[in-house]
Amino acid sequence: MKEILDAILAPDSGAADFAALKLPESYRAVTVHKDEAEMFAGIPSRDKDPRKSLHVEQVPLPELGPGEALVAVMASSVNYNSVWTSIFEPVSTFAFLERYGRLSPLAKRHDLPYHVIGSDLAGVVLRTGPGVNKWQPGDRVVAHCLSVELESADGHNDTMLDPEQRIWGFETNFGGLAEIALVKSNQLMPKPAHLSWEEAAAPGLVNSTAYRQLVSRNGAAMKQGDNVLIWGASGGLGSYATQFALAGGATPICVVSSPQKAEICRKMGAEAIIDRTAEDYRFWRDEHTQDPREWKRLGARIRDLTGGEDVDIVFEHPGRETFGASVYVTRKGGTIVTCASTSGYTHEYDNRYLWMSLKRIVGSHFANYREAWEANRLIAKGRIHPTLSRTYTLTDTGQAAYDVHRNLHQGKVGVLALAPQEGMGVTDPELRARHLPAINRFRNA
């Protein structure tokens, strides 16, 4: 790996230099083990500890197939799907790998007794397989996490509808929390030149997810003047939704859980902020019964902040805990767009407030290549900024996942892979200087 890192750090390395590098037989990676999938059986979700299930070990270099690329990973990040993988919820990811392995002899590579996890990366292309023309060794790239086969007509209008659509590093193997990753070439995008490796790795999954969910016509199709309620507005996903709302001429109503997180939203430019902890919203009377009075109290608070208007869009991702309130507070004809369910997958709401007020619930899941490319383009132009708050080493990924699981973090949590230290990889210092306060906003918080 030293020769690879030396080539990346050398200012004059070209495509031929990278193509001539000898690839290692193995590399360090963050894994979970199939024979440990039941290690947390009977333990409540909140008490499951990723530090016990995540391993950092040497794994064999996978075979490179057609349409694929091997990438030297300089940095990655922790997403909530990494937490789900580490605690084997809602199911063990080995079920995904087994299913994928039955698809073809090439896919069989993914069905292993270990799973290299991670759905983000920033790094340098080392090798490309047959049929790859756009990318070559030495290209500085980031990767989005949509893996598709595109052999079905269903995926050719929106690749997210491909029957064989998967999330790389979660439903496939050889993910980004490693020194080398295996991706499909149509996952690759140019690395934003003004960002360091760890900053460039942080937005991928969450930025693209927020773009589709809020901006794309496949999601809420946000427009100027919309009022947008954003749950967890300073978090890994919500922080990008807040930026998209502000950049797109909408008004974000940011829901946070502490004064510190409220201050982050103010620094992003948001003015309408609800501290749900300070205002003590309790949407559930007990485990089985919601409290509509709390929905109404939230709706009244929103109208106080918007000059009497209800929200046009609710940016939903907590799920069970908040969904009933989200449906209630949306204006007549408005949209609740939902991805994930970090507080529970079984959503309950009063359907009278949906059907009689002509509201829509839209399901949204990651993003297609075009949406991910547009979201990354906005990062590269300095219109949207990474929300990286802290960076860990690859060895400490278990602690990073633990912090995300316990919501001890702000924004995104990064992981250095091959990069020996933070701050490396910037090739446009002038653009960086113009946006440095925004780039460091979450770090400084």
Side-chain angles (χ1 to χ4, degrees):
M1 298 305 300
K2 182 180 184 303
E3 290 77 9
I4 292 174
L5 182 58
D6 287 345
I8 293 171
L9 298 182
D12 55 350
S13 295
D17 299 304
F18 282 97
L21 287 171
K22 182 180 179 181
L23 299 186
E25 295 182 356
S26 66
Y27 61 99
R28 282 199 314 153
V30 177
T31 66
V32 289
H33 293 175
K34 191 173 187 176
D35 62 5
E36 294 178 346
E38 298 300 321
M39 68 184 300
F40 296 128
I43 300 175
S45 293
R46 65 182 178 274
D47 295 330
K48 296 179 180 179
D49 190 342
R51 296 172 297 186
K52 296 180 179 179
S53 59
L54 293 180
H55 306 271
V56 180
E57 60 186 336
Q58 291 284 328
V59 299
L61 190 72
E63 172 192 357
L64 180 63
E68 296 180 339
L70 286 170
V71 180
V73 182
M74 296 299 281
S76 183
S77 74
V78 173
N79 294 289
Y80 215 88
N81 69 6
S82 302
V83 175
W84 288 330
T85 303
S86 71
I87 62 175
F88 305 103
E89 287 190 8
V91 296
S92 165
T93 53
F94 290 99
F96 302 143
L97 302 185
E98 291 168 5
R99 189 178 306 122
Y100 190 25
R102 292 193 290 268
L103 182 65
S104 70
L106 199 62
K108 182 65 177 174
R109 294 170 300 166
H110 294 257
D111 184 8
L112 295 169
Y114 60 88
H115 184 185
V116 180
I117 71 170
S119 299
D120 281 324
L121 72 73
V124 177
V125 175
L126 295 175
R127 294 284 192 279
T128 58
V132 179
N133 302 303
K134 182 177 177 61
W135 307 99
Q136 62 180 346
D139 285 345
R140 292 179 165 222
V141 296
V142 294
H144 71 79
C145 64
L146 175 62
S147 174
V148 289
E149 306 301 319
L150 291 182
E151 292 187 298
S152 167
D154 293 348
H156 282 263
N157 186 41
D158 175 8
T159 51
M160 283 302 300
L161 299 181
D162 183 25
E164 299 297 336
Q165 173 268 319
R166 292 174 175 85
I167 298 300
W168 161 71
F170 178 59
E171 295 168 299
T172 76
N173 218 322
F174 316 120
L177 284 165
E179 293 176 332
I180 295 177
L182 178 72
V183 299
K184 294 181 183 294
S185 64
N186 59 12
Q187 291 178 242
L188 297 176
M189 305 180 294
K191 175 193 170 292
H194 67 298
L195 299 181
S196 66
W197 293 114
E198 66 277 6
E199 291 161 355
L205 186 152
V206 285
N207 185 46
S208 301
T209 299
Y211 182 92
R212 179 183 176 105
Q213 191 174 355
L214 193 56
V215 179
S216 170
R217 63 185 178 185
N218 290 315
M222 183 191 72
K223 64 183 186 301
Q224 288 183 327
D226 279 346
N227 294 313
V228 184
L229 182 69
I230 301 172
W231 295 101
S234 71
L237 188 60
S239 57
Y240 289 99
T242 300
Q243 292 186 73
F244 282 128
L246 291 165
T251 299
I253 295 90
C254 298
V255 184
V256 296
S257 59
S258 72
Q260 293 80 8
K261 294 180 178 182
E263 184 60 25
I264 288 178
C265 292
R266 291 189 185 95
K267 288 181 177 179
M268 283 191 284
E271 297 177 356
I273 298 170
I274 298 172
D275 183 339
R276 60 178 299 191
T277 303
E279 299 183 30
D280 197 27
Y281 288 101
R282 299 174 183 268
F283 300 125
W284 291 80
R285 292 171 182 159
D286 55 47
E287 185 179 350
H288 306 288
T289 311
Q290 296 193 65
D291 189 348
R293 293 174 301 179
E294 290 291 88
W295 304 347
K296 295 176 182 179
R297 185 162 73 94
L298 176 64
R301 181 75 174 102
I302 290 168
R303 287 189 289 274
D304 286 341
L305 294 169
T306 60
E309 296 181 338
D310 292 324
V311 292
D312 302 274
I313 299 166
V314 178
F315 186 88
E316 248 289 345
H317 54 97
R320 178 177 174 80
E321 184 181 353
T322 59
F323 204 80
S326 294
V327 171
Y328 178 83
V329 301
T330 306
R331 74 161 177 86
K332 190 171 186 176
T335 301
I336 305 96
V337 60
T338 177
C339 79
S341 290
T342 53
S343 69
Y345 304 98
T346 306
H347 298 186
E348 296 181 21
Y349 62 92
D350 189 328
N351 198 43
R352 293 172 296 178
Y353 297 115
L354 187 79
W355 108 70
M356 295 180 71
S357 293
L358 306 174
K359 303 175 187 181
R360 298 185 308 144
I361 296 174
V362 176
S364 186
H365 182 43
F366 188 57
N368 61 39
Y369 194 12
R370 181 63 184 177
E371 291 161 340
W373 189 282
E374 287 298 316
N376 184 64
R377 176 172 170 267
L378 292 171
I379 294 278
K381 291 172 75 69
R383 304 287 180 86
I384 302 295
H385 304 288
T387 62
L388 186 69
S389 61
R390 185 175 178 183
T391 303
Y392 295 76
T393 64
L394 197 67
T395 303
D396 292 328
T397 302
Q399 183 65 49
Y402 176 87
D403 289 354
V404 173
H405 184 34
R406 293 299 182 94
N407 198 29
L408 302 176
H409 67 305
Q410 307 271 24
K412 281 299 295 290
V413 169
V415 175
L416 296 179
L418 285 174
Q421 62 188 44
E422 294 183 56
M424 305 180 75
V426 176
T427 55
D428 188 346
E430 293 182 4
L431 182 60
R432 180 180 183 82
R434 292 205 298 270
H435 296 293
L436 195 58
I439 292 170
N440 287 327
R441 182 181 292 134
F442 280 71
R443 285 192 182 103
N444 294 337

